[in-house]
Amino acid sequence: MNAAATPLLELRDVSTSFRVGGFFTPRLLKATQEVSFTLDRGEIVGVVGESGSGKSTIARLISRLVPTTGGAMLLDGDDVLVSEPRRASLAYRRRVQMIFQDPFGSLNPVHTVAHHIERPLLLHGKATKENARSAALELLDDVGLRPAEDFIDQHPHSLSGGQRQRVAIARALAPEPDIILADEPTSMLDVSIRMDVLRLLDDLRHKRGLAILFITHDLAAAKHLADRIVVMYAGRMMEEAPADQLVKEPAHPYSQLLMAAVPRRGGSLHDPLPADPGTPPLVDPRPGCPFAARCRQTVAACTTTTPPVIQLGPGHRVACHLHTARTQ
Ligand SMILES: Nc1ncnc2c1ncn2[C@@H]1O[C@H](COP(=O)(O)OP(=O)(O)OP(=O)(O)O)[C@@H](O)[C@H]1O
Ligand SMILES: [Mg+2]
């Protein structure tokens, strides 16, 4: 295989289901269905969609916190679901790190900042007991906690939300990962410091060549930070396009609805959008396109057949019967 053409990470038709319902009536909730996209070194891919669309599930699938029920997940061309079927190896976990939404919950209140950062350094062989403290100080400086000596012996409760999120980022950087999965990393932060954290992530991808999966409700932030954006709805990928193109010329009626919301509502998806009858059922989903009930441009196939993902142009894919019909 041509190494230059092999993406760092590739998801191919990745699906997962959760068991829900009672003990005697177990049912399957299809949280993601046939999700496919790539993530390359130095690239930021945004994942947007309303609550329950499967965004966090994608991050949890990639970090192997939840099992897949189908598809392939290739890291440097190697399908990790085949080579490491039961659980991710330490090597995989080193390469793929996660930053969570809640900087309060993700740090242990009984431990100091030093402990949080030295632990992954030691676990992944990136420092020895002798130099772990100086390596941790360097990481704190890298994430903008300066002078680092003022922060390293603090406990999380004495830090602000933004400082805590920077500690979480330093911890994620400690194993020298290739990929950071950032699940709503700024949504619990004060609006005034969100931009600083986004700038830090952007800076890190440039300086370290990190690949970042940036999951967000905030369309304006996705537009600002991401190179490409994946739009999710009810567990399915509706569209993927370069960020500029998605904002200017969204092809899927759902993306059009989202993008129309950017200037009007400050670009956040925390409140329901207009004409929202609620998320379609993920348990026993209806046949056809999940967005059909909200769509004003439906054709007959929308309620009977799941639209295939088709290529509209370079890096631009959409799952919509309107476009399937036009390209045939
Ligand atoms: N462990 C689980 N067991 C059962 N259902 C789950 C589990 N995790 C997620 N789900 C369900 O899967 C669907 C997708 O959830 P997910 O957390 O991925 O959505 P999301 O897009 O991240 O939403 P939000 O924007 O609110 O964070 C939801 O219906 C959710 O209730
Ligand atoms: Mg989520």
Side-chain angles (χ1 to χ4, degrees), residues 51-52 54-57 101 183-184 215 217:
S51 198
K55 303 181 301 294
S56 296
T57 303
Q101 177 175 17
D183 191 357
E184 311 253 13
I215 293 171
H217 268 87

Short mmCIF file of all heavy atoms in Angstrom, two decimals, residues 51-52 54-57 101 183-184 215 217, ligand 2:
data_model
loop_
_atom_site.label_atom_id
_atom_site.label_comp_id
_atom_site.label_asym_id
_atom_site.label_seq_id
_atom_site.Cartn_x
_atom_site.Cartn_y
_atom_site.Cartn_z
N SER A 51 -27.86 16.97 19.93
CA SER A 51 -27.70 16.02 21.02
C SER A 51 -28.24 14.64 20.62
O SER A 51 -29.31 14.55 20.01
CB SER A 51 -28.48 16.57 22.22
OG SER A 51 -28.05 15.93 23.36
N GLY A 52 -27.51 13.61 20.95
CA GLY A 52 -27.96 12.25 20.67
C GLY A 52 -27.65 11.77 19.25
O GLY A 52 -28.05 10.68 18.85
N GLY A 54 -24.82 10.90 18.08
CA GLY A 54 -23.79 9.85 18.05
C GLY A 54 -22.37 10.38 18.07
O GLY A 54 -21.42 9.62 17.87
N LYS A 55 -22.19 11.67 18.36
CA LYS A 55 -20.85 12.29 18.30
C LYS A 55 -19.91 11.68 19.34
O LYS A 55 -18.80 11.24 19.02
CB LYS A 55 -20.96 13.82 18.54
CG LYS A 55 -21.88 14.53 17.57
CD LYS A 55 -21.93 16.01 17.81
CE LYS A 55 -22.42 16.44 19.18
NZ LYS A 55 -23.84 16.11 19.45
N SER A 56 -20.36 11.64 20.61
CA SER A 56 -19.49 11.08 21.65
C SER A 56 -19.26 9.60 21.42
O SER A 56 -18.17 9.08 21.71
CB SER A 56 -20.12 11.27 23.04
OG SER A 56 -20.22 12.63 23.32
N THR A 57 -20.27 8.92 20.89
CA THR A 57 -20.10 7.49 20.63
C THR A 57 -18.96 7.28 19.64
O THR A 57 -18.18 6.33 19.78
CB THR A 57 -21.42 6.88 20.12
OG1 THR A 57 -22.44 7.13 21.09
CG2 THR A 57 -21.30 5.38 19.91
N GLN A 101 -15.31 16.74 28.07
CA GLN A 101 -16.04 18.00 28.20
C GLN A 101 -15.85 18.63 29.58
O GLN A 101 -15.70 19.84 29.70
CB GLN A 101 -17.52 17.65 27.99
CG GLN A 101 -18.48 18.77 28.14
CD GLN A 101 -19.89 18.28 27.77
OE1 GLN A 101 -20.15 17.08 27.71
NE2 GLN A 101 -20.77 19.21 27.57
N ASP A 183 -13.83 15.86 22.97
CA ASP A 183 -15.29 15.79 23.00
C ASP A 183 -15.85 17.02 23.72
O ASP A 183 -15.83 17.09 24.94
CB ASP A 183 -15.73 14.50 23.70
CG ASP A 183 -17.22 14.24 23.54
OD1 ASP A 183 -17.91 15.10 22.95
OD2 ASP A 183 -17.69 13.20 24.02
N GLU A 184 -16.31 17.97 22.95
CA GLU A 184 -16.86 19.23 23.49
C GLU A 184 -15.89 19.85 24.49
O GLU A 184 -16.30 20.15 25.63
CB GLU A 184 -18.21 18.96 24.19
CG GLU A 184 -19.17 18.15 23.35
CD GLU A 184 -20.33 18.96 22.81
OE1 GLU A 184 -20.25 20.20 22.87
OE2 GLU A 184 -21.27 18.36 22.31
N ILE A 215 -15.19 17.43 18.49
CA ILE A 215 -16.63 17.20 18.58
C ILE A 215 -17.27 18.41 19.24
O ILE A 215 -16.81 18.85 20.30
CB ILE A 215 -16.89 15.94 19.43
CG1 ILE A 215 -16.36 14.72 18.67
CG2 ILE A 215 -18.36 15.79 19.78
CD1 ILE A 215 -16.36 13.46 19.47
N HIS A 217 -20.98 21.14 19.66
CA HIS A 217 -22.31 21.67 19.36
C HIS A 217 -22.18 23.03 18.69
O HIS A 217 -23.16 23.59 18.23
CB HIS A 217 -23.06 21.94 20.67
CG HIS A 217 -23.90 20.82 21.14
ND1 HIS A 217 -23.40 19.82 21.92
CD2 HIS A 217 -25.22 20.54 20.97
CE1 HIS A 217 -24.38 18.99 22.22
NE2 HIS A 217 -25.48 19.40 21.65
MG MG B 2 -21.74 13.86 23.44
#
